[in-house]
Amino acid sequence: MDYGVCEPARLGQTQLLDGRLLGWAEWGPTDGTPVLFCPGAATSRWLGFGGGVIDAAGIRLISVDRPGLGASDPAPGRTLTSWATDMRHLIQEQALRAPSAVGFSQGAPFALALAADGLVNAVAVVSGSDELAHPRFTHALAPQVRGMVNAVAADPDAAEASFAGFGSADALWDLIIATSPEADRTVYTDPVFQRAFRRAMDEAFSQGPAGYARDTVLAMGLWPFDPADIAVPVELWYGEQDTSPVHSPDLGESLTRMIPKATRHLLPAAAGSLLWTHAEAVLRTLLAHAR
């Protein structure tokens, strides 16, 4: 099956005001409707989606490496707020008019941070990580995830060092395959998809595990914004077969209630990989807001 992964049409880096470089990859026409992509944990700009849809829909998909991953320079101590500041500069430098955003898995809080900062006009959260440190999930987390959340709350620096000790592309790949349901393993182990996925993971760790570790600290901590203050439409997409312990424990149900203009799409036959199995639906729903 074609899961819509293909080589980027363009690669580049944008220099930020402090001299750091932010790496990105693009697919689709340069004059297309801009959609910023915040990838999942420990994957770089190389892994896109919607390859059979992007050009026909007139979308300019821009995947951005977070600092310390792939082609983006490190920014020790970075936050979700500083990420929005970096992206504001990229949006201005690239002259992106009225962009929207997609956040997959651990990329979800990064996409929502852009919405909270008023940088995008709509967001699609796909198989997204939720605010796992929020009190509403006190009794809903898997023990291992609860341990990570507690570690970040108690001593974020020590937790970050611990996450860095675990982080490698091979270790993370083995964990993904071991814990994914069959619906996801079918996608992830498809020869074409696996090659693209592993390449993106290898590049994400090309500077070492520090970028992955910092992302994980941010994903396990409290968000610096209130979802209730997000004023733009947010489409939340989850598959009922999604068993990932680091995605939303209630598959976005409570987050949908918190965000004023949120709509939840719960797909019975889909799992965590629905960004690649249902890319057209995700993008066309997002474009309805963008246009």
Side-chain angles (χ1 to χ4, degrees), residues 103-135:
F104 172 69
S105 187
Q106 199 178 86
F110 293 91
L112 291 173
L114 303 183
D117 206 45
L119 298 179
V120 295
N121 61 10
V123 175
V125 167
V126 185
S127 304
S129 178
D130 211 317
E131 190 176 11
L132 300 177
H134 193 282

Side-chain angles (χ1 to χ4, degrees), residues 184-256:
D184 285 337
R185 282 198 299 271
T186 297
V187 177
Y188 298 151
T189 60
D190 170 83
V192 174
F193 189 93
Q194 180 173 340
R195 201 158 45 244
F197 198 177
R198 289 304 309 265
R199 179 185 188 180
M201 293 178 73
D202 288 341
E203 189 189 27
F205 281 100
S206 62
Q207 300 182 55
Y212 161 79
R214 187 62 188 170
D215 268 6
T216 306
V217 166
L218 299 181
M220 296 295 159
L222 290 169
W223 294 349
F225 56 86
D226 185 345
D229 293 334
I230 294 176
V232 301
V234 177
E235 303 286 339
L236 296 127
W237 293 83
Y238 289 93
E240 288 188 9
Q241 308 305 312
D242 187 353
T243 60
S244 171
V246 294
H247 291 170
S248 175
D250 62 5
L251 299 179
E253 181 180 356
S254 57
L255 191 58
T256 303

Side-chain angles (χ1 to χ4, degrees), residues 1-19:
M1 180 175 176
D2 180 3
Y3 293 111
V5 292
C6 57
E7 292 284 312
R10 295 168 295 279
L11 295 171
Q13 292 174 298
T14 295
Q15 188 169 40
L16 302 172
L17 294 176
D18 62 2

Side-chain angles (χ1 to χ4, degrees), residues 4-153:
V5 292
C6 57
E7 292 284 312
R10 295 168 295 279
L11 295 171
Q13 292 174 298
T14 295
Q15 188 169 40
L16 302 172
L17 294 176
D18 62 2
R20 286 182 296 118
L21 296 176
L22 207 61
W24 47 264
E26 289 189 359
W27 294 259
T30 56
D31 61 349
T33 301
V35 175
L36 298 165
F37 180 39
C38 300
T43 50
S44 72
R45 59 184 179 166
W46 279 96
L47 185 63
F49 68 97
V53 180
I54 297 294
D55 286 319
I59 294 170
R60 179 184 177 186
L61 181 68
I62 307 154
S63 179
V64 185
D65 285 339
R66 293 187 283 276
L69 282 80
S72 288
D73 290 336
R78 61 185 167 88
T79 64
L80 290 172
T81 302
S82 68
W83 163 252
T85 300
D86 287 351
M87 291 298 287
R88 180 181 296 277
H89 185 74
L90 181 140
I91 290 167
Q92 293 170 345
E93 286 295 301
Q94 296 292 321
L96 303 179
R97 185 167 174 266
S100 54
V102 175
F104 172 69
S105 187
Q106 199 178 86
F110 293 91
L112 291 173
L114 303 183
D117 206 45
L119 298 179
V120 295
N121 61 10
V123 175
V125 167
V126 185
S127 304
S129 178
D130 211 317
E131 190 176 11
L132 300 177
H134 193 282
R136 73 186 190 276
F137 293 134
T138 298
H139 303 294
L141 300 180
Q144 180 184 10
V145 178
R146 169 52 59 193
M148 296 168 74
V149 168
N150 290 344
V152 169

